[in-house]
Structures are given as C-alpha cells and as structure tokens.
Amino acid sequence: MLDSVPLDRFPCISMIAYTGRKMKVGGISLPIVVDLHGLEIPRQNLALLLNHELPQIVGLTMQVEIVHNALLAVGVVDDGLPSGHDVWRSGLLGYPWRASIGASLSQPEYVNHGQHVEVNGRPVMGPCYVIRQATLQEISLVTEGADNYTSVYFHPPKT
C-alpha cells in the first residue's frame, strides 16, 4: 500500500526518539529506564503523534531502529493534517521539538537507592525502575520530553 504513495513529496522528519537514559514519566514516582534490548518494535510504520494524543496525528514513521543504545526513527509528516502542518511549520522556524516514546511496559524492576545496574550500555544508579520488556506503540513530538536528550530534525520534501 505504501509503495503506491509518493513519499518523497512529503516533508521528512528524523529523530533520536529515546537515548536509553532515565526518564521522568507522569504518574510514576521514580525515573524509569527502558532497556532497549527488550524493546519490541512490532512494525516500522508507527504513528507520529502530537503529545501522545491519538487524534493529533502528525505523520508516520518509515524506519525505526536501535543504533548505539538509542532509538532512532525516520518518517514523513503529513502537512495536510492540522497537527502535521503546525509541527512542520514550527519545526522549520526552529522550534525545539523533542521526541517521546509511547510503549506498553512490563513489570518494572526496582533499583534501590545507591544500587546500580547496567542498562543500555551505561550504569544507572537507583532509585529508579528498569523496564526490561516493552512494546513500542507510537512516537510523539512534544515540547518537553521525559528524556531530555532527544532531538528532532526536519527535512523539506525532495520535489
């Protein structure tokens, strides 16, 4: 189905969606770290959303992969949709969008205060939770991400 869509006519987006570091997630009292070795990426074409809100579709990922203990994604922005248009336009003007992952998480592993474990190739000091298994459901563009080290890059269409 996607083979018939002229994707090179759409604006493109690339991002570091998650760096494998601690995140402060709303509703969870301690920081969490998602172990990328246990992250299932069920498909390459995931929704790109605005603020994790399903009605606010920005576009679609075309490639999602784990490289050097970070989650990278490349996709297209549908600037014909209101959220896609707003994100694209503000991104071209230099707005510092961040990426955020939406995933179903398994039972967290508690890391005690002062204890450390290795996750995603780096030591992580407790207290925190480590999520050893998760399934990626979507990637969102947000103003403030749970992972402060994410980044989003905008690329004009090739037409």
Side-chain angles (χ1 to χ4, degrees):
M1 183 168 139
L2 286 176
D3 295 338
S4 63
V5 178
L7 295 176
D8 58 345
R9 293 188 183 169
F10 284 89
C12 291
I13 189 169
S14 59
M15 65 195 85
I16 301 171
Y18 176 54
T19 64
R21 292 182 169 96
K22 284 184 181 179
M23 299 184 286
K24 185 65 178 148
V25 178
I28 300 177
S29 60
L30 294 174
I32 68 167
V33 179
V34 175
D35 187 342
L36 290 170
H37 290 64
L39 180 66
E40 179 187 352
I41 302 170
R43 61 188 182 281
Q44 293 296 301
N45 58 335
L46 297 170
L48 282 174
L49 302 177
L50 180 60
N51 297 319
H52 300 288
E53 297 291 331
L54 188 55
Q56 296 185 12
I57 299 169
V58 171
L60 179 71
T61 63
M62 303 308 297
Q63 183 177 5
V64 181
E65 62 184 331
I66 297 166
V67 177
H68 302 295
N69 293 312
L71 183 69
L72 308 181
V74 175
V76 293
V77 174
D78 187 345
D79 59 352
L81 297 172
S83 295
H85 175 78
D86 292 347
V87 165
W88 175 250
R89 188 164 168 83
S90 62
L92 287 179
L93 292 173
Y95 187 83
W97 287 104
R98 300 286 185 164
S100 180
I101 60 172
S104 62
L105 308 175
S106 72
Q107 193 72 316
E109 173 187 316
Y110 177 70
V111 180
N112 286 313
H113 179 77
Q115 180 185 4
H116 79 274
V117 294
E118 186 167 312
V119 186
N120 301 321
R122 56 177 72 84
V124 174
M125 184 71 71
C128 67
Y129 293 109
V130 175
I131 308 299
R132 296 288 182 187
Q133 301 249 321
T135 302
L136 187 63
Q137 296 175 320
E138 52 90 3
I139 298 174
S140 280
L141 293 146
V142 295
T143 55
E144 290 292 324
D147 178 350
N148 291 327
Y149 299 97
T150 65
S151 53
V152 178
Y153 307 96
F154 296 87
H155 313 279
K158 297 178 181 179
T159 58

mmCIF file of all heavy atoms in Angstrom, residues 22 109-119 122-128 130 132:
data_model
loop_
_atom_site.group_PDB
_atom_site.id
_atom_site.type_symbol
_atom_site.label_atom_id
_atom_site.label_comp_id
_atom_site.label_asym_id
_atom_site.label_seq_id
_atom_site.Cartn_x
_atom_site.Cartn_y
_atom_site.Cartn_z
ATOM 1 N N LYS A 22 17.593 7.654 31.847
ATOM 2 C CA LYS A 22 16.463 7.796 32.764
ATOM 3 C C LYS A 22 15.456 8.800 32.211
ATOM 4 O O LYS A 22 15.830 9.813 31.620
ATOM 5 C CB LYS A 22 16.931 8.298 34.127
ATOM 6 C CG LYS A 22 17.591 7.280 34.989
ATOM 7 C CD LYS A 22 17.916 7.915 36.345
ATOM 8 C CE LYS A 22 18.604 6.959 37.270
ATOM 9 N NZ LYS A 22 18.926 7.599 38.567
ATOM 10 N N GLU A 109 11.340 -3.284 37.215
ATOM 11 C CA GLU A 109 12.331 -3.824 38.143
ATOM 12 C C GLU A 109 12.813 -2.647 38.990
ATOM 13 O O GLU A 109 13.351 -1.676 38.460
ATOM 14 C CB GLU A 109 13.485 -4.414 37.334
ATOM 15 C CG GLU A 109 14.676 -4.863 38.118
ATOM 16 C CD GLU A 109 15.825 -5.270 37.194
ATOM 17 O OE1 GLU A 109 15.580 -5.965 36.185
ATOM 18 O OE2 GLU A 109 16.963 -4.871 37.484
ATOM 19 N N TYR A 110 12.625 -2.736 40.288
ATOM 20 C CA TYR A 110 13.014 -1.653 41.181
ATOM 21 C C TYR A 110 14.508 -1.724 41.460
ATOM 22 O O TYR A 110 15.045 -2.779 41.782
ATOM 23 C CB TYR A 110 12.231 -1.726 42.492
ATOM 24 C CG TYR A 110 12.627 -0.681 43.486
ATOM 25 C CD1 TYR A 110 12.315 0.662 43.269
ATOM 26 C CD2 TYR A 110 13.337 -1.007 44.629
ATOM 27 C CE1 TYR A 110 12.688 1.642 44.174
ATOM 28 C CE2 TYR A 110 13.714 -0.029 45.549
ATOM 29 C CZ TYR A 110 13.389 1.287 45.316
ATOM 30 O OH TYR A 110 13.777 2.254 46.205
ATOM 31 N N VAL A 111 15.183 -0.594 41.337
ATOM 32 C CA VAL A 111 16.605 -0.484 41.674
ATOM 33 C C VAL A 111 16.692 0.393 42.917
ATOM 34 O O VAL A 111 16.279 1.552 42.898
ATOM 35 C CB VAL A 111 17.422 0.121 40.510
ATOM 36 C CG1 VAL A 111 18.887 0.226 40.889
ATOM 37 C CG2 VAL A 111 17.231 -0.683 39.229
ATOM 38 N N ASN A 112 17.202 -0.180 44.005
ATOM 39 C CA ASN A 112 17.284 0.519 45.295
ATOM 40 C C ASN A 112 18.193 1.738 45.241
ATOM 41 O O ASN A 112 19.112 1.798 44.415
ATOM 42 C CB ASN A 112 17.826 -0.424 46.374
ATOM 43 C CG ASN A 112 16.807 -1.444 46.808
ATOM 44 O OD1 ASN A 112 15.656 -1.104 47.067
ATOM 45 N ND2 ASN A 112 17.224 -2.703 46.875
ATOM 46 N N HIS A 113 17.964 2.642 46.170
ATOM 47 C CA HIS A 113 18.811 3.824 46.341
ATOM 48 C C HIS A 113 20.260 3.377 46.561
ATOM 49 O O HIS A 113 20.547 2.522 47.388
ATOM 50 C CB HIS A 113 18.323 4.652 47.528
ATOM 51 C CG HIS A 113 19.153 5.866 47.775
ATOM 52 N ND1 HIS A 113 19.033 7.002 47.000
ATOM 53 C CD2 HIS A 113 20.121 6.124 48.678
ATOM 54 C CE1 HIS A 113 19.887 7.898 47.425
ATOM 55 N NE2 HIS A 113 20.567 7.397 48.445
ATOM 56 N N GLY A 114 21.185 3.937 45.794
ATOM 57 C CA GLY A 114 22.603 3.608 45.919
ATOM 58 C C GLY A 114 23.031 2.388 45.131
ATOM 59 O O GLY A 114 24.223 2.184 44.903
ATOM 60 N N GLN A 115 22.091 1.565 44.701
ATOM 61 C CA GLN A 115 22.417 0.388 43.889
ATOM 62 C C GLN A 115 22.572 0.838 42.438
ATOM 63 O O GLN A 115 21.956 1.811 42.005
ATOM 64 C CB GLN A 115 21.281 -0.635 43.991
ATOM 65 C CG GLN A 115 21.483 -1.898 43.203
ATOM 66 C CD GLN A 115 20.247 -2.803 43.268
ATOM 67 O OE1 GLN A 115 19.217 -2.462 43.834
ATOM 68 N NE2 GLN A 115 20.365 -3.967 42.656
ATOM 69 N N HIS A 116 23.408 0.149 41.683
ATOM 70 C CA HIS A 116 23.483 0.472 40.258
ATOM 71 C C HIS A 116 23.408 -0.804 39.435
ATOM 72 O O HIS A 116 23.791 -1.879 39.879
ATOM 73 C CB HIS A 116 24.728 1.304 39.924
ATOM 74 C CG HIS A 116 25.985 0.495 39.825
ATOM 75 N ND1 HIS A 116 26.758 0.179 40.897
ATOM 76 C CD2 HIS A 116 26.598 -0.054 38.742
ATOM 77 C CE1 HIS A 116 27.800 -0.539 40.509
ATOM 78 N NE2 HIS A 116 27.730 -0.698 39.208
ATOM 79 N N VAL A 117 22.846 -0.624 38.243
ATOM 80 C CA VAL A 117 22.740 -1.698 37.256
ATOM 81 C C VAL A 117 23.187 -1.121 35.923
ATOM 82 O O VAL A 117 23.213 0.100 35.743
ATOM 83 C CB VAL A 117 21.297 -2.256 37.137
ATOM 84 C CG1 VAL A 117 20.862 -2.949 38.415
ATOM 85 C CG2 VAL A 117 20.314 -1.156 36.768
ATOM 86 N N GLU A 118 23.527 -1.983 34.999
ATOM 87 C CA GLU A 118 23.876 -1.509 33.656
ATOM 88 C C GLU A 118 22.671 -1.702 32.745
ATOM 89 O O GLU A 118 22.105 -2.786 32.677
ATOM 90 C CB GLU A 118 25.079 -2.250 33.095
ATOM 91 C CG GLU A 118 25.513 -1.657 31.763
ATOM 92 C CD GLU A 118 26.867 -2.138 31.296
ATOM 93 O OE1 GLU A 118 27.804 -2.115 32.108
ATOM 94 O OE2 GLU A 118 26.954 -2.519 30.118
ATOM 95 N N VAL A 119 22.297 -0.621 32.085
ATOM 96 C CA VAL A 119 21.180 -0.647 31.141
ATOM 97 C C VAL A 119 21.588 0.181 29.929
ATOM 98 O O VAL A 119 22.079 1.298 30.075
ATOM 99 C CB VAL A 119 19.892 -0.055 31.758
ATOM 100 C CG1 VAL A 119 18.714 -0.231 30.804
ATOM 101 C CG2 VAL A 119 19.580 -0.672 33.107
ATOM 102 N N ARG A 122 25.212 1.686 29.819
ATOM 103 C CA ARG A 122 25.701 2.663 30.792
ATOM 104 C C ARG A 122 25.190 2.314 32.185
ATOM 105 O O ARG A 122 24.129 1.718 32.333
ATOM 106 C CB ARG A 122 25.328 4.087 30.397
ATOM 107 C CG ARG A 122 23.889 4.362 30.176
ATOM 108 C CD ARG A 122 23.590 5.828 29.858
ATOM 109 N NE ARG A 122 23.970 6.306 28.574
ATOM 110 C CZ ARG A 122 23.243 6.180 27.460
ATOM 111 N NH1 ARG A 122 22.119 5.542 27.476
ATOM 112 N NH2 ARG A 122 23.662 6.690 26.335
ATOM 113 N N PRO A 123 25.939 2.720 33.208
ATOM 114 C CA PRO A 123 25.476 2.451 34.568
ATOM 115 C C PRO A 123 24.298 3.348 34.933
ATOM 116 O O PRO A 123 24.261 4.519 34.564
ATOM 117 C CB PRO A 123 26.704 2.779 35.430
ATOM 118 C CG PRO A 123 27.540 3.683 34.602
ATOM 119 C CD PRO A 123 27.251 3.360 33.163
ATOM 120 N N VAL A 124 23.346 2.773 35.627
ATOM 121 C CA VAL A 124 22.171 3.512 36.089
ATOM 122 C C VAL A 124 22.107 3.351 37.603
ATOM 123 O O VAL A 124 22.124 2.238 38.115
ATOM 124 C CB VAL A 124 20.882 2.971 35.433
ATOM 125 C CG1 VAL A 124 19.654 3.641 36.017
ATOM 126 C CG2 VAL A 124 20.935 3.142 33.928
ATOM 127 N N MET A 125 22.034 4.470 38.307
ATOM 128 C CA MET A 125 22.009 4.473 39.767
ATOM 129 C C MET A 125 20.571 4.620 40.257
ATOM 130 O O MET A 125 19.816 5.447 39.743
ATOM 131 C CB MET A 125 22.861 5.641 40.287
ATOM 132 C CG MET A 125 23.003 5.695 41.781
ATOM 133 S SD MET A 125 24.035 4.389 42.469
ATOM 134 C CE MET A 125 25.642 4.892 41.913
ATOM 135 N N GLY A 126 20.206 3.805 41.244
ATOM 136 C CA GLY A 126 18.893 3.885 41.847
ATOM 137 C C GLY A 126 18.800 5.056 42.813
ATOM 138 O O GLY A 126 19.816 5.659 43.141
ATOM 139 N N PRO A 127 17.618 5.438 43.194
ATOM 140 C CA PRO A 127 16.392 4.689 42.981
ATOM 141 C C PRO A 127 15.771 4.987 41.617
ATOM 142 O O PRO A 127 15.754 6.131 41.167
ATOM 143 C CB PRO A 127 15.488 5.184 44.106
ATOM 144 C CG PRO A 127 15.928 6.600 44.347
ATOM 145 C CD PRO A 127 17.411 6.595 44.067
ATOM 146 N N CYS A 128 15.277 3.950 40.986
ATOM 147 C CA CYS A 128 14.588 4.068 39.707
ATOM 148 C C CYS A 128 13.935 2.728 39.395
ATOM 149 O O CYS A 128 14.089 1.757 40.121
ATOM 150 C CB CYS A 128 15.539 4.488 38.595
ATOM 151 S SG CYS A 128 16.774 3.254 38.177
ATOM 152 N N VAL A 130 13.611 -0.079 36.164
ATOM 153 C CA VAL A 130 14.108 -0.507 34.866
ATOM 154 C C VAL A 130 13.029 -1.373 34.230
ATOM 155 O O VAL A 130 12.520 -2.306 34.860
ATOM 156 C CB VAL A 130 15.431 -1.302 34.998
ATOM 157 C CG1 VAL A 130 15.865 -1.837 33.642
ATOM 158 C CG2 VAL A 130 16.518 -0.414 35.591
ATOM 159 N N ARG A 132 12.442 -3.991 31.563
ATOM 160 C CA ARG A 132 13.232 -4.934 30.767
ATOM 161 C C ARG A 132 12.505 -5.387 29.508
ATOM 162 O O ARG A 132 13.140 -5.830 28.561
ATOM 163 C CB ARG A 132 13.611 -6.156 31.611
ATOM 164 C CG ARG A 132 14.520 -5.828 32.784
ATOM 165 C CD ARG A 132 15.910 -5.484 32.328
ATOM 166 N NE ARG A 132 16.772 -5.222 33.492
ATOM 167 C CZ ARG A 132 17.985 -4.771 33.402
ATOM 168 N NH1 ARG A 132 18.514 -4.504 32.229
ATOM 169 N NH2 ARG A 132 18.694 -4.551 34.483
#
